[in-house]
Amino acid sequence: MEDLKSVLGECGFSFKKQWGQNFLTDTNLLRAIAQDAGVDENTTVLEIGAGAGALTRALSGRAKKVLAYEIDRSLEPVLARTLAGCENVEVVFQDFSKAEMSEVEKELGPFVVAANLPYYVTTPIVMRFVEESKNCKGLTVMVQEEVAERFCAKEGTADYGAVTAAIARRGTCKITRRVPREMFTPRPNVDSAVVKIDFTSGGFEVASPRAYRETVRCAFLSRRKTLENNLMSVFRLGREEAKEILRAAGIADGVRGETLSPKDFARLSDLLFEKGIVK
Ligand code: SAM
C-alpha cells in the first residue's frame, strides 16, 4: 500500500477535529485490532469511520466482507487509492448515526463491529448496538482509555455506571490493549484502549429491557442517595413498599445503587416490571 501520509497530502486532505479524525498508520497495531476482533474469512465486519482506510484494509485482508461508513466525503479520493484492490469492501459516505439499524442489519446478516471510533460519539454509537442490534455478535473498538475503563468497570468502583450495567446485560467486556496517544495522527490529548464487547457470552435475559434501563437509570440518578431513596423518588413509592421490594430482590437495606451487580439490577427490574411499577 502507498504511504498513507503522502496519499493524504497528495489528495489535499485536511484533518477535521470536529469529526474525531485521529488516524492510525501502524500496520502491526492495525493487524492486532483485526485479530482482537476475531475476524476470519467467514466474518462480516461493520466499520464506523473508515478514515484513510488503514483499519479497513487490515480488516479486508481477513474478512468475508467489510461495510464501512464514513461521514467525510472529502476522503473519497483517498479511500479510492488506499482501498484499491480490496474487492470485499463497500464504503458508504453517510453519518452512521442517521443510518437505520434495521436497514444496516438487513444488509449484513450476522456481523461484528470493528472500529477506531470517533471520540465525540463513542458512547452513543456503542449504546445503539447494545440496545437496538439483533444480529451484532460483538464490538471491538478503540475508545478513549477512560471510556474503556467505564465500559468494563466492576460494581462499587467510581467508573461503574449505567453504561457498564447496560453492556453487562448483553455480554462480556474487556480491554484487549492500551494504545498510547503517540500512535495516532494527529496526536490526541488522551491515551486510548481497545475494548472487546462480546454479545455471544456472559449476557443475561430480563423480563423487559426497558424496565432494566429505567431501574439502572434510577439507581444512578443520585449516586449519593441510597437505592431505597432513589426508588421512592423516581417511582413514587412509599418507604415500606420500597423496602419490601428490595427485600424481595435479596438486596440489603441502606445500600447505594453503585454497589449492585448487573444481575442484582436484573432481579430488581424484573420485580418492578412484574408489579407494574415500571412499564
Ligand atoms: N478508521 C480510521 C483509522 O483507524 O485510522 C479513522 C478513525 S478516526 C478516529 C474516526 C473516523 O470516523 C474519521 O474518519 C471521521 O471522519 C469518521 N466519522 C466521524 N463521525 C462519523 C459518523 N457520525 N459517521 C461515520 N463516520 C464518522
Side-chain angles (χ1 to χ4, degrees), residues 10-260:
E10 285 164 27
C11 292
F13 176 76
S14 54
F15 286 93
K16 289 151 206 93
K17 207 172 172 188
Q18 79 271 21
W19 282 335
Q21 292 180 340
N22 302 99
F23 295 171
L24 293 171
T25 51
D26 186 284
T27 43
N28 288 333
L29 174 60
L30 293 159
R31 238 181 270 131
I33 297 171
Q35 200 176 336
D36 289 351
V39 174
D40 66 21
E41 69 278 9
N42 299 312
T43 315
T44 298
V45 184
L46 173 63
E47 184 191 10
I48 295 141
L55 179 58
T56 322
R57 204 178 165 88
L59 293 165
S60 160
R62 303 172 72 106
K64 181 165 128 199
K65 175 187 163 141
V66 182
L67 174 65
Y69 276 75
E70 174 51 59
I71 199 170
D72 186 354
R73 245 203 199 271
S74 79
L75 284 162
E76 201 168 356
V78 175
L79 288 167
R81 282 172 63 173
T82 58
L83 297 179
C86 296
E87 302 297 338
N88 59 351
V89 175
E90 182 190 345
V91 181
V92 177
F93 289 95
Q94 192 193 327
D95 178 347
F96 182 74
S97 53
K98 302 223 166 80
E100 275 293 324
M101 182 65 78
S102 55
E103 292 298 315
V104 175
E105 298 216 313
K106 213 184 296 161
E107 184 176 344
L108 290 177
F111 68 98
V112 299
V113 174
N116 170 18
L117 288 176
Y119 290 165
Y120 76 105
V121 279
T122 301
T123 303
I125 287 179
V126 169
M127 288 308 286
R128 274 191 77 194
F129 288 97
V130 167
E131 298 297 353
E132 295 175 33
S133 95
K134 296 193 168 55
N135 294 339
C136 179
K137 293 197 285 183
L139 302 93
T140 301
V141 285
M142 177 91 74
V143 301
Q144 281 185 42
E145 196 169 30
E146 65 178 66
V147 174
E149 300 287 1
R150 242 181 279 144
F151 285 178
C152 306
K154 287 273 163 282
E155 56 265 27
T157 64
D159 285 330
Y160 185 64
V163 171
T164 328
I167 291 172
R169 177 178 73 79
R170 292 293 314 272
T172 56
C173 181
K174 67 172 183 204
I175 292 175
T176 59
R177 61 190 70 243
R178 313 242 169 203
V179 182
R181 62 194 79 181
E182 291 74 27
M183 300 297 280
F184 297 83
T185 306
R187 199 176 97 150
N189 295 326
V190 291
D191 294 321
S192 292
V194 176
V195 160
K196 181 166 180 142
I197 301 170
D198 182 0
F199 290 162
T200 67
S201 72
F204 48 85
E205 293 296 323
V206 289
S208 156
R210 187 171 178 278
Y212 181 81
R213 236 178 1 253
E214 289 301 306
T215 305
V216 168
R217 196 179 64 82
C218 158
F220 288 104
L221 195 67
S222 177
R223 288 179 88 111
R224 281 185 309 188
K225 282 193 189 168
T226 63
L227 181 57
E228 184 180 305
N229 283 340
N230 275 335
L231 283 174
M232 285 168 63
S233 63
V234 172
F235 302 124
R236 299 177 190 287
L237 303 179
R239 185 164 302 281
E240 271 319 303
E241 198 180 0
K243 275 189 191 301
E244 198 193 307
I245 288 168
L246 287 175
R247 224 174 289 132
I251 296 166
D253 249 17
V255 298
R256 282 189 272 166
E258 68 200 34
T259 65
L260 264 63

